[in-house]
Amino acid sequence: MQSFELLRAADPSAAIAAASRSATAQQGASVRFLAGGTTLVDLMKLGVEAPHLLVDINRLPLDGIGRAADGGLRIGATARNSDLAHDPIVKAEYAALSQAILSGASTQLRNAATTAGNLLQRTRCLYFRDTATPCNKREPGSGCSAIDGANRMLAILGTSEHCIASNPSDMAVAMLAYDAMVHIQGPQGERQVAIADFFLLPGDTPDRENVLQPGDLVTHVTLPPPEVGARAAYLKLRDRVSYEFALVSAAVSVTMAEGRMASVRFALGGVGTRPWRVPAAEASLIGQPPGEAAFRQAADLALAGARPQSQNGFKIELARRCLVHALNQVTR
Amino acid sequence: MSDPTSNPFSAVEPNSDLLSVVLRINGASHALQIDPRATLLDCLRDTLQLTGTKKGCDHGQCGACTVHINGRRRNACLALAAVHEGDEILTIEGVGTPDRLHPLQAAFVARDAYQCGYCTSGQIMSALALLQEPCGPGDDEVREYMSGNLCRCGAYANIVAAIQDVRGQS
Ligand SMILES: Cc1cc2nc3c(=O)[nH]c(=O)nc-3n(C[C@H](O)[C@H](O)[C@H](O)COP(=O)(O)OP(=O)(O)OC[C@H]3O[C@@H](n4cnc5c(N)ncnc54)[C@H](O)[C@@H]3O)c2cc1C
Ligand code: FES
Ligand code: FES
């Protein structure tokens, strides 16, 4: 691991001032915030991340979880994934979020992992993690080893000829379905970004993964008030039953009125270069009675434009079935 | 780069790469001089000779390094030691002794819940935490809560049985 200086910021503005000295907040950043460390320390050991300065944000007062003024939920950036998943409001009113978090990693890791760290975790693509191989995300212009390599786990949606790395977060998929808002404090002040706009498609700059600029500190995430009567679930399909990343996953939430679907939200994980949501696919179910044919059609819309690689073509049908099954589960 | 007046991490002496930290481990304070890069795992094993905590993968993937930090289980291999100054750290050395085993340790012995024993301290630290966590009563729930601890010898069935023995007693 490259050596670095360790700073514990006294308050958020000190953390922001320190981080704003980095030329980028994306791959190659020379200053990084340290939260749970379960992504960052791992990647520093591998030489994939090599910051000169680590700013410990664990003792900043950013770990609260509570009701927002509008009746929604306010989730602090350093709230631990375990605390969020077991929070009584989250379990009762945002069930897909609780289930998504508990389906990820292990208890030990969730005790360390934080809200912002989870959102900003990096792809598990083998080549991104292996500095001996070309990877456009890690080293722009070096090439993509995955396109002709081991790509079974990687994305089928939102890919480019430069990168097919999948976003591995379960939490972010549920947050996308719930229309989360990411709150950022930066050198120029505060702003909020809808989670649907927070993550960038790889295009020809796969090293740029989100909208964060140097010094930007995620302070909290908010969820809008829960939909009354919604039934929600997170379904994750993987190679083993626990402690494994998703092949495909679906976060779904549906409300019913007089036997018909009144509001439908869903997002897919494991298939996209970012958490994947297709509003037209959700809209196709509004006003319809629940049923296999309608679900199947929505799934086709959600998977429209999927581009399989040599080893992950199975994900298209698996994702369809995952979504149909999850929708069945919450409308039965 | 950083403002020294606000940074509680203090170098051993000016221009030294080492930091002076005091870690609280198993109820005792240890004043140490450590590299900022030192993980809690390496610090326990190499600096403090507390070798009960094991290194399996060093990447958060196996659970052999499980310790408790402020009462919660964590992977020591992904924790930087200096960041945990002031936190209460519990390792397997703080859980029972050879003549006074913790009930979990006794249950692992009684159930033969290991083969080579390399994963065992991590398993026990996880199981100890599980006793306080909202884990359902069934074996499947225990398996889920223990999934962050791999056992290459495959002693899983006996590990679950040992944990269930202790939960049944309490
Ligand atoms: C073995 C293993 C299995 C896993 N399995 C899963 C799984 O199945 N599903 C899943 O979803 N995840 C899984 N994970 C990933 C895990 O969820 C993430 O590592 C974790 O959520 C990251 O959070 P952290 O607080 O530890 O982040 P850190 O490692 O501390 O930080 C990650 C990144 O976010 C930045 N950052 C942190 N906080 C802020 C902030 N407030 N503002 C701006 N930037 C910030 C850091 O600078 C860093 O670049 C797994 C991890 C491991 C090691
Ligand atoms: S050594 Fe820490 S999880 Fe494997
Ligand atoms: S007893 Fe050998 S690894 Fe578990």
Side-chain angles (χ1 to χ4, degrees), chain A residues 1-2 4-8 21 34 42 45-46 54 56 59 83 106-109 111-112 242-243, chain B residues 1-2 7 9 36-37 58-61 66 72-75 77 83 85 87 126 144 147-149:
Chain A
M1 198 190 292
Q2 183 187 282
F4 54 83
E5 196 185 342
L6 195 55
L7 170 75
R8 180 174 293 151
R21 296 186 201 125
L34 176 71
D42 182 23
K45 288 182 183 187
L46 295 170
L54 275 195
D56 177 13
R59 309 209 179 193
D83 292 327
S106 64
T107 306
Q108 292 99 307
L109 288 162
N111 281 344
S242 185
Y243 201 21
Chain B
M1 223 175 175
S2 55
N7 192 3
F9 295 115
R37 291 171 291 185
D58 213 20
H59 287 278
Q61 298 172 358
T66 303
R72 301 174 115 195
R73 51 172 154 153
R74 295 270 299 260
N75 306 79
C77 68
V83 167
E85 181 154 39
D87 290 342
S126 262
E144 169 61 31
S147 72
N149 292 80

Side-chain angles (χ1 to χ4, degrees), chain A residues 154-169:
Chain A
L154 301 183
I156 52 174
L157 288 160
T159 56
S160 73
E161 60 183 305
H162 304 286
C163 185
I164 59 170
S166 44
N167 181 301
S169 173

Side-chain angles (χ1 to χ4, degrees), chain A residues 168-188:
Chain A
S169 173
D170 293 297
M171 184 195 78
V173 176
M175 284 187 171
L176 178 62
Y178 284 124
D179 278 319
M181 192 67 83
V182 182
H183 297 254
I184 300 162
Q185 200 176 322
Q188 263 84 54

Side-chain angles (χ1 to χ4, degrees), chain B residues 41 54-58 60-65 75 77:
Chain B
L41 176 59
K54 303 300 183 199
K55 183 185 286 191
C57 65
D58 213 20
Q61 298 172 358
C62 76
C65 64
N75 306 79
C77 68

